[in-house]
């Protein structure tokens, strides 16, 4: 059934049709067309509205009328149509400038006009019969008793059938109007809230003071960015005899044995309720309100939580934005500033060699491959190290942190990604940046390599010298001298102010869109929503690429809209093929109304699983852990279809233990991976943030140097910006320290081979040349000139 009602344009069959060449005919058409149109291409009645991106409008297929479908009344009243003459007149109609102008006035830009005409012509030419009124008009035109302009009402009617959004544009604009988010939360607007902003750097005690107020309140909710943080507050609260529940996307833990809800809740920020009243709410890491993917969750919590007091914790860079947002709600913000509790010193010298490591050191990398390489080199020096990176299960991260923090454990070195920036309490003496560039996602959702921001550098460096730990002072440096110069520049810069808060379409908004556009896919609905959405300067629409990826992946599976939306918001890494394939199987079985049982999941994941023997198996175990997380996440949204959450949580804990064993023996896994690889190429996992191949011509592509003391090759393409250029210069200079032969089988060579930037023949030639240079003693004084010449040759090759 059509969701958009529009007046059916009936044109008189005979009266006043002999009107030629635009004048009176066009004059007669304009009022009818204007009455039929619900919007103009300039913006649907709102002069400030932008024109929609019509490239997103997908036409609805309209099948021609087949033989015997219905009686041809038009032919009985007049005569059968001469399709040859009809085709000539339809083409005349298309070429008429007046018709094109009328189409534009009714929302049909050049693209839509062309698509609509092609469909209109095909419908008429391939149908065995058309409606009586259209048949009569076509017959009159062929007999010179009418003008081609008289077809416009029928053409417009057809255009609105294949592009239903044309007739609903005003409604669609209203639904996608995001200019007043505070109005979405009437319960919060009904009370006068007190907003307290705890501003300060890492290790300043800002969150501590907010949590103290949380614990003293009769009821409260803590909203954090990570499960680890929510779990920490959950434990801290219950240890203080304040009953507190834990709520994450995958887990519900009740403080009371009878599963009654406790007055206090610690949750991940996406899971906070905007309907439940609290005395105190704590929103942690408020600067993440600008996050391109998750910022909407902080906006929702800040505007929607029903709490008498809302304690916001984070960087001072977010004060102005929070103050402006609260001004729109009529609420004032009290700011409490905090200073760092322990001193943090930027050293004047880099580490330069892993031989200079000391107990309490943490080497920060921005890729798993760097972690694997450095941890192996540390072990080769007779030292033990703990390893923490983002895709590890929370239990494994906590176990590695416990191992590193334990003064009686021989493990005194930590190798980690920026995952240590929040969520873990670590006794770190010195932070050592292995690199100061990392893959990032820009506002358009594109991946690029850039220097870390001041905010990121402060967040990571601030982990050194934690208050209350055995180290009363924190230190920060880099692995290489050139990076240290850049790091000092970064840390000396002010933190960029947070300028806008993220928003995301709600399920209700998408459902209303689908009501008007029932034939559109979910991915297309989201595209049109974002295209039409209007936000003021305080907000932006979050990146929806992951949502669209999942929507396209499961589009062919018959699901109702609400279920499809839930599946598309599932938290998974789309770069993990096994996890994506599993979601697809989940959705397919769900659509058949077949419960996904524990036995089915064990069969799919081949549980039970053995301890990993190499890195590839460790990565697979991490993916299986993500699959169990996905099952648990879905089990709280579709309890009847994912009924075995308790059993799955039990085996997930066992899997966590298995992964912990693998991570504890990670250097053995690395050796096994490299010894089992084919000659000239090593088995290695993909990076957490692989660069898009389409970006190679505009942005730097360099290996994030596992350990520059062993790195033998780096490839870079021009990157705009002075800081990035300096970093790349530092990378090139640092590669001249070890032989290519030892690393030619490593991760960089493998990636270059996989991406087509290097062939086996080129690799063998590089190894041969490197060996010749060593034998001739050339890789020293003369190597700089050789490097320059080879760089010029590579540049010519690229051009």
């Amino acid at each position: 059934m059509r969701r958009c009602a529009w007046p059916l344009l009936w044109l008189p069959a005979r009266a006043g049709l002999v009107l030629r060449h635009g004048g009176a005919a066009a004059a007669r058409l304009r009022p009818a067309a204007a009455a039929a149109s619900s919007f103009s291409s300039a913006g649907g009645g709102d002069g400030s509205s932008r024109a929609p991106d019509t490239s997103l409008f997908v036409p609805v297929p309209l099948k021609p009328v087949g033989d015997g479908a219905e009686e041809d009344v038009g032919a009985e009243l007049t005569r059968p149509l001469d399709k040859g003459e009809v085709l000539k007149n339809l083409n005349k109609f298309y070429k008429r400038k007046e018709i094109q102008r009328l189409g534009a006035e009714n929302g049909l830009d050049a693209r839509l006009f062309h698509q609509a005409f092609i469909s209109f012509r095909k419908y008429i030419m391939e149908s065995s019969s058309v409606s009586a009124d259209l048949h009569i008009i076509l017959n009159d035109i062929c007999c010179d008793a009418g003008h081609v302009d008289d077809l416009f009402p029928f053409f417009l009617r057809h255009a609105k059938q294949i592009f239903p959004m044309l007739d609903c544009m005003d409604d669609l604009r209203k639904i996608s109007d995001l200019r007043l988010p505070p109005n979405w939360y009437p319960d919060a607007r009904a009370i006068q809230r007190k907003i307290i902003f705890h501003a300060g750097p890492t290790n300043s005690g800002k969150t501590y003071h907010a949590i103290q107020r949380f614990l003293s309140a009769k009821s409260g909710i803590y909203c954090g960015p990570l499960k680890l943080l929510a779990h920490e507050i959950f434990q801290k609260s219950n240890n203080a005899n304040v009953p507190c529940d834990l709520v994450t996307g995958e887990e519900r833990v009740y403080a009371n044995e009878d599963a009654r809800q406790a007055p206090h809740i610690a949750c991940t920020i996406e899971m906070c309720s905007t309907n439940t009243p609290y005395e105190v709410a704590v929103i942690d890491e408020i600067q993440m309100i600008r996050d391109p993917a998750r910022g909407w969750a902080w906006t929702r919590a800040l505007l929607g939580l029903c709490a008498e007091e809302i304690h916001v914790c984070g960087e001072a860079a977010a004060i102005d934005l929070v103050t402006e947002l609260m001004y729109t709600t009529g609420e004032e913000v009290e700011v409490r500033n905090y200073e760092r509790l322990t001193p943090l010193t930027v050293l004047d010298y880099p580490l330069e060699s892993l031989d200079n490591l000391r107990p309490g050191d943490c080497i920060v990398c921005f890729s798993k491959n760097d972690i694997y390489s450095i941890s192996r080199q540390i072990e080769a020096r007779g030292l033990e190290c703990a390893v923490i990176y983002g895709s590890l299960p929370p239990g494994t991260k906590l176990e590695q942190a416990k191992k590193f923090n334990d003064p009686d454990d021989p493990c005194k070195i930590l190798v980690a990604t920026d995952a240590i920036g929040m969520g873990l309490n670590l006794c770190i003496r010195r932070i050592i940046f292995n690199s100061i560039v990392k893959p990032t996602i820009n506002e358009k959702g594109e991946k690029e390599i850039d220097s870390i921001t001041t905010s990121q550098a402060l967040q990571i460096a601030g982990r050194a010298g934690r208050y209350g730990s055995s180290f009363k002072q924190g230190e920060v440096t880099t692995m290489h001298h050139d990076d240290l110069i850049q790091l000092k520049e970064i840390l000396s810069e002010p933190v960029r102010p947070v300028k806008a808060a993220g928003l995301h379409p709600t399920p209700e908004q998408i459902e209303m869109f689908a009501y008007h556009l029932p034939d559109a896919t979910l991915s297309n609905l989201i595209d049109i929503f974002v295209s039409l959405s209007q936000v003021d300067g305080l907000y932006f629409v979050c990146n929806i690429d992951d949502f669209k990826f999942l929507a396209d992946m499961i589009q062919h599976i018959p699901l109702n809209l609400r279920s499809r939306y839930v599946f598309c918001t599932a938290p998974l890494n789309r770069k993990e093929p096994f996890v994506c394939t599993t979601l697809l199987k989940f959705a397919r079985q769900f659509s058949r109304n077949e419960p996904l049982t524990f036995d089915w999941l064990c069969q799919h994941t081949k549980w039970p699983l053995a301890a990993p023997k190499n890195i590839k198996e460790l990565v697979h175990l991490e993916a299986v852990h993500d699959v169990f997380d996905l099952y648990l996440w879905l089990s709280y949204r579709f309890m009847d279809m994912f009924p075995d959450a308790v059993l799955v949580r039990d085996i997930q804990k066992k899997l966590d233990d298995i992964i912990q064993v693998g991570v504890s023996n990670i250097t053995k896994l690395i050796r096994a991976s490299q010894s089992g690889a084919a000659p000239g190429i090593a088995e290695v996992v993909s990076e957490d943030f692989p660069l898009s191949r389409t970006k190679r011509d505009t942005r730097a592509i360099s290996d994030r140097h596992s350990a520059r003391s062993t790195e033998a090759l780096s490839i870079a393409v021009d990157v705009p910006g002075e800081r990035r250029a300096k970093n790349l210069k530092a990378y090139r200079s640092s590669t001249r320290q070890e032989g290519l032969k030892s690393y030619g089988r490593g991760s960089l060579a493998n990636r270059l081979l996989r991406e087509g930037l290097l062939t086996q023949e080129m690799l063998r030639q590089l190894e041969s040349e490197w060996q010749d240079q060593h034998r001739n003693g050339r890789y020293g004084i003369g190597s700089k000139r050789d490097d320059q010449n080879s760089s010029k040759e590579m540049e010519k090759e690229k051009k």
Side-chain angles (χ1 to χ4, degrees), residues 219-500:
S219 63
I221 182 170
Y222 168 84
C223 307
L226 301 174
K227 287 184 282 188
L228 284 174
L229 285 170
H231 194 271
E232 179 186 346
I233 302 303
F234 163 74
Q235 287 186 323
K236 184 177 293 185
S237 183
N238 285 293
N239 291 341
N241 295 320
V242 178
C244 180
D245 294 342
L246 175 66
V247 179
T248 69
E250 301 80 19
E251 189 175 19
R252 306 286 194 284
V253 180
Y254 293 99
N256 299 313
E257 294 182 358
D258 57 359
R260 286 184 297 105
Q261 183 171 314
H264 288 72
I265 291 177
C267 66
T268 46
I269 193 159
E270 286 87 353
M271 300 303 297
C272 70
S273 169
T274 58
N275 300 319
T276 307
Y278 301 99
E279 182 182 346
V280 170
V282 177
I283 304 175
D284 207 357
E285 305 294 351
I286 187 62
Q287 70 276 1
M288 290 188 70
I289 200 170
R290 68 179 165 200
D291 187 84
R294 298 179 66 200
W296 62 270
W298 276 262
T299 305
R300 174 176 171 270
L302 182 63
L303 297 177
L305 282 174
C306 294
E308 298 171 22
E309 289 181 26
I310 294 186
H311 293 256
V312 177
C313 306
E315 296 176 0
I319 292 176
D320 289 345
L321 176 63
V322 171
T323 302
E324 288 189 60
L325 292 177
M326 295 301 95
Y327 178 79
T328 65
T329 65
E331 296 161 333
E332 295 183 358
V333 178
E334 175 188 338
V335 178
R336 299 178 184 175
N337 290 296
Y338 300 82
E339 299 295 331
R340 183 177 167 87
L341 298 174
T342 57
L344 178 65
T345 304
V346 182
L347 300 179
D348 292 327
Y349 52 89
L351 185 70
E352 292 187 335
S353 170
L354 295 178
D355 294 328
N356 299 325
L357 286 172
R358 304 196 307 260
D361 280 349
C362 172
I363 302 177
V364 176
C365 310
F366 294 114
S367 80
K368 275 201 232 176
N369 288 337
D370 292 357
I371 285 190
Y372 297 152
S373 178
I374 287 181
S375 59
R376 182 175 180 185
Q377 292 176 66
I378 291 173
E379 189 221 39
R381 288 165 168 80
L383 302 173
E384 285 192 34
C385 68
V387 172
I388 295 175
Y389 51 86
S391 59
L392 284 178
T396 304
K397 290 178 185 174
L398 290 171
E399 190 63 30
Q400 290 291 298
K402 181 180 178 182
K403 178 182 177 182
F404 174 71
N405 290 338
D406 187 353
D408 298 324
D409 196 291
C411 173
K412 301 300 180 187
I413 308 297
L414 175 63
V415 183
T417 63
D418 53 347
I420 65 165
M422 59 180 69
L424 292 168
N425 291 321
L426 297 163
C427 297
I428 299 173
R429 178 203 300 270
R430 179 172 59 173
I431 289 286
I432 302 160
F433 285 91
N434 185 56
S435 166
I436 57 169
V437 295
K438 67 170 290 187
T440 58
I441 301 175
N442 63 21
E443 293 80 2
K444 298 179 181 178
E446 299 169 339
K447 299 177 182 65
E448 59 186 10
I449 287 183
D450 199 354
S451 300
I452 57 176
T453 64
T454 302
S455 176
Q456 291 168 337
L458 289 170
Q459 185 81 25
I460 298 168
R463 308 307 290 177
R466 184 174 67 90
Y467 181 76
S469 72
S470 55
F471 303 116
K472 304 303 181 186
Q473 179 173 337
E475 298 174 344
V476 58
T477 187
T478 60
M479 185 71 74
H480 304 280
H481 186 269
D482 287 344
D483 281 348
L484 182 57
I485 297 172
Q486 296 300 308
L487 179 63
K488 288 183 176 180
E489 290 182 11
I490 292 171
L491 292 174
S492 66
E493 295 173 358
V495 178
R496 286 184 305 156
V498 181
K499 295 183 178 179

Side-chain angles (χ1 to χ4, degrees), residues 603-754:
Q603 182 179 359
H604 172 68
T605 57
K606 296 181 172 55
W607 180 264
L609 297 165
K613 299 182 180 65
N614 52 47
I615 290 297
K616 183 177 180 180
E617 291 184 6
L618 176 62
V619 172
H620 178 69
L621 292 182
E622 293 169 5
V624 174
H625 193 280
D626 288 344
V627 166
F628 291 163
D629 259 348
L630 179 61
Y631 183 99
L632 294 172
W633 189 88
L634 289 167
S635 72
Y636 286 107
R637 288 145 184 88
F638 307 110
M639 294 183 183
D640 55 335
M641 297 300 292
F642 296 84
D644 296 328
V646 175
L647 295 174
V648 172
R649 183 167 292 107
D650 287 341
I651 62 173
Q652 188 183 44
K653 291 177 182 177
K654 295 177 182 177
L655 177 59
D656 202 332
D657 294 337
I658 296 172
I659 293 174
Q660 287 177 32
V661 173
V663 173
S664 298
N665 300 312
I666 195 165
T667 54
K668 295 178 182 178
L669 304 186
I670 296 168
R671 283 199 301 271
S673 297
Q674 293 184 338
S675 64
I681 186 168
E683 183 178 37
V684 68
V685 300
S686 61
E687 296 291 353
D688 289 339
F689 299 95
L691 286 174
S692 169
R693 299 176 73 89
T694 60
K695 301 298 173 187
R696 286 188 186 134
D697 57 337
T698 59
R699 104 178 16 117
I701 303 176
S702 68
D703 181 57
R704 292 182 284 277
H705 55 296
S706 302
R708 300 217 210 154
S709 59
T710 61
E711 188 172 87
L713 183 65
S714 69
I715 288 186
V717 183
D718 181 41
V719 178
E722 181 181 355
R723 180 183 296 162
R724 282 179 252 182
K726 290 180 181 178
N727 289 328
L728 294 173
K729 182 180 178 182
Y731 293 168
R732 295 190 182 103
S733 65
S734 67
T735 60
R736 307 176 189 131
Q737 298 186 19
E738 293 289 339
L740 176 64
K741 186 174 181 179
S742 63
Y743 198 75
R745 309 178 191 277
S747 61
L748 176 60
N750 185 19
R751 280 204 302 281
L752 297 177
L753 286 164
R754 286 204 324 266

Side-chain angles (χ1 to χ4, degrees), residues 544-558:
I544 53 171
D545 286 349
D546 287 346
F547 185 98
K548 287 176 54 186
F549 171 82
L550 296 179
D552 289 333
M553 187 175 74
I554 65 172
Q555 179 56 42
H556 65 286
I557 299 175

Side-chain angles (χ1 to χ4, degrees), residues 143-162:
C143 296
D144 288 333
H147 193 272
V148 291
D149 287 358
D150 299 334
L151 286 173
F152 183 78
F154 300 95
F155 166 73
L156 185 61
R157 181 172 65 188
H158 183 92
K160 290 183 177 182
Q161 286 178 307
I162 66 169

Side-chain angles (χ1 to χ4, degrees), residues 51-59 107 109-112 115 163 165 524 527-528 531:
D53 181 0
T54 56
S55 65
L56 302 174
F57 292 2
V58 178
D109 62 9
R111 181 197 301 270
L112 296 186
Q115 288 181 293
F163 294 116
M165 61 284 296
N524 190 229
D527 275 335
I528 295 174
S531 171

Side-chain angles (χ1 to χ4, degrees), residues 59-70:
V60 177
L62 200 62
K63 293 183 180 180
V65 179
D67 292 332
E70 59 183 35

